[in-house]
Amino acid sequence: MQKLNRIGITPPFLVFLGAETRSAMVKTGRGLLEWRRELCRGQLRLSQDAVDLGLPDLTAAEAVGQGVKSLVIGTAGIGGGIPAEWHETLLDAVQQGMDIVAGVHTKLSELPFLCEAAEKSGARLVDIRTPPASLPVASGRKRSGRRLLTVGTDCAIGKKYTALVLEREMKKKGLNADFRASGQTGIMIAGQGIPIDAVISDFITGAAELLSPDNEPNHWDIVEGQGGIFHPGYAAVSHGLLIGSQPDAFVVCHDPSRDFISGWDDFRLPTIEQVIEQTVVIGSLTNPEIRCVGISLNTSRLSDSARQKATEDIAGRVGLPCVDPLKESIDPIIEKLISEFPAAPCR
Amino acid sequence: MQKLNRIGITPPFLVFLGAETRSAMVKTGRGLLEWRRELCRGQLRLSQDAVDLGLPDLTAAEAVGQGVKSLVIGTAGIGGGIPAEWHETLLDAVQQGMDIVAGVHTKLSELPFLCEAAEKSGARLVDIRTPPASLPVASGRKRSGRRLLTVGTDCAIGKKYTALVLEREMKKKGLNADFRASGQTGIMIAGQGIPIDAVISDFITGAAELLSPDNEPNHWDIVEGQGGIFHPGYAAVSHGLLIGSQPDAFVVCHDPSRDFISGWDDFRLPTIEQVIEQTVVIGSLTNPEIRCVGISLNTSRLSDSARQKATEDIAGRVGLPCVDPLKESIDPIIEKLISEFPAAPCR
């Protein structure tokens, strides 16, 4: 059995935001703050106009003085790199002994000036997007235990968030559940996982199989989805993650205010029904019992009354529970999951 | 515009077969021989039991004496590497000044003893599976010109062969067509291409877009397919190649004697109809006009009468031309293609 790509991140953290002004581009930092607030001591911004997460602004020196161990890069652009204007700040942090944790495509270890400084100071350069060295081709073998995958009508629409809420609320109910991270922010939060979109294509489904290994019969892996099965850029990633995860259940994440794929304005968002149908068609290859157990809405751009109408309309249309887990309880989806997959008796 | 990953291979060739006894595992060598026989001077085998391509057995020294410039590794296993028992032979070839051309997952450049010897002798180590350095995320933008993709019910079922025959026969008819290689053997034959299954998952569809760039309105790119859309290991690769290629037309490759996916014995082969339906559903994302123009059968394990029955049965059932291009003319498929996509008038 291959091991997961276990990332060792040492808290507490300083969240680096560069000069990024677009809120949607700092989802890594925001996710870390939301799910591990107790580990975040401050933020480091290169401009007063940059997104403000509400943490104290600290220099690298100040952060080290307060016991911070790792500077975590909290931005994630499309295909993201490390711009030259970050170099001085990153170098300073490393020289002061802080680890750098990054989830962008450019590898920290490919920047010689950082490597040299890290060797001298003893700081570590942690590339969250570097997959395990030798991944297998997928076997398609059915694994023990149960799995739920979050899928979406688009990227950045709530798949990670929904998975994390499901894990938290299922645990509160005494269910045996673990969040399985497939992307950089998720890996930072979970402390482990596989950056599925950084894997060589031949091995993507094999990597997805490793992400949710054999487990106890009543155990649920809550697998963080990626991309979207109708996404012109990332559908192949979603496909590999889907058939490798072999999910019993899935939840569709959707933003009712979005009409087009973000950044691909020629492509209309698929309907929830199209995503359900296509996820079942593709997922049936490795799990013929696959079914949808709910819809998770991102209604951040809707009024309360519009949100209520949207959840009711969709629930009625699709015939499944529909909630915005940021605004209301996700219990209806968990109840549907339990009713569809009653726990097997202990032996 | 990004450049293709142009591979410079210098003929003539010595085809290296190792000690491989399984005929299906030497498809790279066999393909090179079939489509570039005039460039192949001999074969080098590490055992008398190894597959015999019918070329003269030559040592590296003999090959160099006959003017051979490149030793081409002609085997391709699942996830293939470079076994230790090849090292001495490869080193000998490099020391004698021959280039080594490899399409396996292990990179030649990661073997220090080979790199050292190559530096001394001036030989080149050509890794056909190394994709271009900076690939884009797919844009989904519609490109000019026309495209045909070969797809399949399984791996190793005739997708490359069918594409090469289509290119050859379309050119004979005066059509403007180019074979576009997506795998190692195809790249060796075409001398260029992108090894699509070696690309990082995020960029697979972007790589597929580069593979068949904008072209003249009546030009056909004949794109070599990979994997299979119902393949438990490689479906994600097929998905990315499909939506990135944006094919107008596709041909389904099938072996009527095969009941299960090769090497995945728990998975039944999909039907031709399932592959057509799912290819249209997925391919419609980037080209709503996508349609199937024929079925290419691999009937190597059938008698002549069984072959005739199979092609007639399938043609009748599916309502499209069906031929074994190794045994009969592929013209019915080309005629269907021309009738579905008549050439636009010159302007």
Side-chain angles (χ1 to χ4, degrees):
Chain A
M1 182 48 134
Q2 302 268 341
K3 283 191 186 159
L4 285 183
N5 179 17
R6 292 186 190 276
I7 311 286
I9 311 179
T10 315
F13 306 135
L14 175 65
V15 182
F16 178 77
L17 300 166
E20 183 58 64
T21 54
R22 295 164 296 175
S23 181
M25 291 292 113
V26 301
K27 65 175 185 166
T28 301
R30 207 179 287 286
L32 194 59
L33 185 66
E34 167 142 22
W35 296 95
R36 293 291 183 273
R37 180 177 287 270
E38 72 281 9
L39 304 179
C40 298
R41 288 284 182 280
Q43 63 188 11
L44 199 167
R45 303 183 298 157
L46 295 181
S47 152
Q48 285 303 316
D49 299 331
V51 174
D52 183 352
L53 294 183
L55 288 165
D57 282 304
L58 301 178
T59 64
E62 289 166 346
V64 169
Q66 295 188 26
V68 165
K69 301 294 185 199
S70 301
L71 179 146
V72 177
I73 294 180
T75 68
I78 291 178
I82 295 180
E85 53 268 36
W86 293 3
H87 288 185
E88 194 184 325
T89 307
L90 298 186
L91 179 62
D92 180 35
V94 166
Q95 285 172 337
Q96 307 214 24
M98 261 192 285
D99 293 352
I100 309 281
V101 180
V104 291
H105 264 296
T106 308
K107 287 186 177 49
L108 296 167
S109 59
E110 286 168 1
L111 299 172
F113 71 96
L114 273 191
C115 293
E116 258 178 57
E119 205 159 312
K120 276 189 204 159
S121 74
R124 295 179 313 144
L125 304 177
V126 183
D127 281 309
I128 300 237
R129 288 186 63 86
T130 303
S134 59
L135 289 166
V137 170
S139 73
R141 182 184 65 78
K142 176 85 180 143
R143 303 187 295 285
S144 53
R146 285 169 167 169
R147 284 154 200 91
L148 180 150
L149 175 68
T150 54
V151 303
T153 51
D154 195 359
C155 292
I157 205 159
K159 293 184 287 289
K160 178 180 68 269
Y161 187 90
T162 301
L164 282 162
V165 174
L166 279 169
E167 181 204 37
R168 185 184 67 201
E169 299 302 317
M170 288 172 76
K171 282 186 166 170
K172 277 192 199 160
K173 291 181 191 301
L175 294 165
N176 192 1
D178 282 300
F179 171 72
R180 298 297 184 188
S182 61
Q184 58 263 42
T185 307
I187 294 172
M188 284 182 189
I189 294 166
Q192 66 174 48
I194 300 179
I196 215 79
D197 55 5
V199 168
I200 300 273
S201 303
D202 247 6
F203 304 114
I204 181 168
T205 310
E209 290 185 345
L210 291 188
L211 190 60
S212 59
D214 281 306
N215 217 312
E216 293 166 28
N218 291 328
H219 178 274
W220 281 96
D221 270 332
I222 310 298
V223 183
E224 175 196 6
Q226 290 294 328
I229 206 68
F230 288 101
H231 193 288
Y234 303 121
V237 174
S238 311
H239 190 135
L241 182 56
L242 171 55
I243 63 175
S245 298
Q246 306 178 351
D248 304 282
F250 65 94
V251 171
V252 178
C253 302
H254 177 63
D255 177 348
S257 71
R258 216 181 279 188
D259 293 322
F260 295 91
I261 301 282
S262 299
W264 277 261
D265 298 345
D266 292 338
F267 288 84
R268 291 201 76 82
L269 218 65
T271 64
I272 294 169
E273 289 88 339
Q274 284 174 312
V275 170
I276 292 176
E277 186 185 345
Q278 183 69 338
T279 301
V280 168
V281 168
I282 291 176
S284 295
L285 180 71
T286 53
N287 189 345
E289 300 301 312
I290 185 172
R291 70 198 82 163
C292 186
V293 294
I295 317 300
S296 173
L297 290 194
N298 178 337
T299 62
S300 51
R301 283 186 261 177
L302 300 189
S303 67
D304 273 1
S305 61
R307 168 175 60 81
Q308 197 172 345
K309 183 172 182 325
T311 53
E312 282 171 10
D313 282 359
I314 291 168
R317 212 177 72 205
V318 180
L320 288 169
C322 176
V323 303
D324 180 340
L326 195 65
K327 307 250 170 95
E328 55 200 345
S329 168
I330 204 162
D331 280 2
I333 295 179
I334 297 178
E335 282 155 21
K336 176 69 175 172
L337 181 71
I338 294 172
S339 77
E340 289 285 325
F341 299 94
C346 296
R347 291 172 210 179
Chain B
M1 183 49 137
Q2 301 269 342
K3 283 192 181 158
L4 284 184
N5 181 16
R6 294 188 189 276
I7 310 286
I9 310 179
T10 315
F13 306 135
L14 175 64
V15 182
F16 178 76
L17 299 165
E20 184 57 65
T21 55
R22 295 164 297 176
S23 180
M25 293 292 113
V26 301
K27 65 174 183 166
T28 301
R30 207 180 289 286
L32 194 60
L33 186 65
E34 169 142 21
W35 296 95
R36 295 292 183 271
R37 178 177 290 269
E38 71 281 10
L39 303 178
C40 299
R41 287 286 183 279
Q43 62 188 11
L44 198 168
R45 303 183 297 157
L46 297 181
S47 151
Q48 285 302 316
D49 298 330
V51 175
D52 184 351
L53 294 183
L55 288 165
D57 283 303
L58 299 179
T59 64
E62 289 166 348
V64 169
Q66 295 189 26
V68 166
K69 301 295 184 199
S70 302
L71 179 146
V72 177
I73 294 180
T75 69
I78 291 180
I82 295 181
E85 53 268 35
W86 293 3
H87 288 185
E88 193 184 327
T89 307
L90 298 185
L91 180 62
D92 180 36
V94 167
Q95 285 172 337
Q96 306 213 24
M98 258 192 284
D99 293 351
I100 309 282
V101 180
V104 291
H105 264 297
T106 308
K107 289 186 175 46
L108 295 167
S109 59
E110 286 168 2
L111 299 171
F113 70 96
L114 271 191
C115 292
E116 260 178 56
E119 205 157 312
K120 276 187 204 160
S121 74
R124 294 179 312 145
L125 305 178
V126 182
D127 280 307
I128 299 237
R129 288 187 63 86
T130 303
S134 59
L135 289 166
V137 170
S139 72
R141 183 183 66 79
K142 177 85 181 147
R143 302 188 296 284
S144 54
R146 286 169 166 169
R147 284 152 200 90
L148 180 149
L149 175 69
T150 54
V151 304
T153 52
D154 195 0
C155 292
I157 207 157
K159 292 184 287 289
K160 179 180 69 267
Y161 187 90
T162 300
L164 283 161
V165 174
L166 279 169
E167 181 205 36
R168 184 184 68 203
E169 298 303 317
M170 286 171 77
K171 283 185 164 168
K172 276 191 198 160
K173 292 181 193 300
L175 294 165
N176 191 1
D178 282 301
F179 171 71
R180 297 297 183 187
S182 61
Q184 60 263 42
T185 307
I187 293 172
M188 284 182 189
I189 294 166
Q192 67 174 48
I194 300 179
I196 214 80
D197 56 4
V199 168
I200 301 273
S201 303
D202 248 5
F203 305 113
I204 181 168
T205 310
E209 290 184 346
L210 291 188
L211 190 61
S212 59
D214 281 306
N215 217 314
E216 292 165 30
N218 290 329
H219 178 274
W220 280 96
D221 269 333
I222 310 298
V223 183
E224 174 196 7
Q226 289 295 327
I229 205 68
F230 288 101
H231 193 290
Y234 304 121
V237 174
S238 311
H239 190 136
L241 182 56
L242 171 54
I243 64 175
S245 297
Q246 306 178 349
D248 304 281
F250 65 94
V251 172
V252 178
C253 302
H254 176 64
D255 178 348
S257 71
R258 218 181 277 189
D259 293 320
F260 295 92
I261 300 283
S262 299
W264 278 262
D265 297 345
D266 293 338
F267 288 84
R268 292 202 75 84
L269 218 65
T271 65
I272 293 168
E273 288 88 339
Q274 285 174 310
V275 170
I276 293 176
E277 186 185 345
Q278 183 69 337
T279 301
V280 168
V281 167
I282 292 177
S284 295
L285 179 71
T286 53
N287 189 344
E289 300 302 313
I290 186 173
R291 69 198 82 161
C292 185
V293 295
I295 317 299
S296 173
L297 290 193
N298 177 338
T299 62
S300 50
R301 283 184 261 178
L302 300 188
S303 67
D304 274 1
S305 61
R307 168 174 60 81
Q308 196 171 347
K309 183 172 182 324
T311 52
E312 283 171 9
D313 283 357
I314 290 169
R317 213 177 72 205
V318 179
L320 288 167
C322 176
V323 303
D324 181 339
L326 195 64
K327 307 249 171 96
E328 55 202 343
S329 168
I330 203 162
D331 281 1
I333 294 180
I334 297 177
E335 283 155 20
K336 176 70 176 169
L337 181 72
I338 294 172
S339 77
E340 290 283 326
F341 300 93
C346 296
R347 289 169 215 184

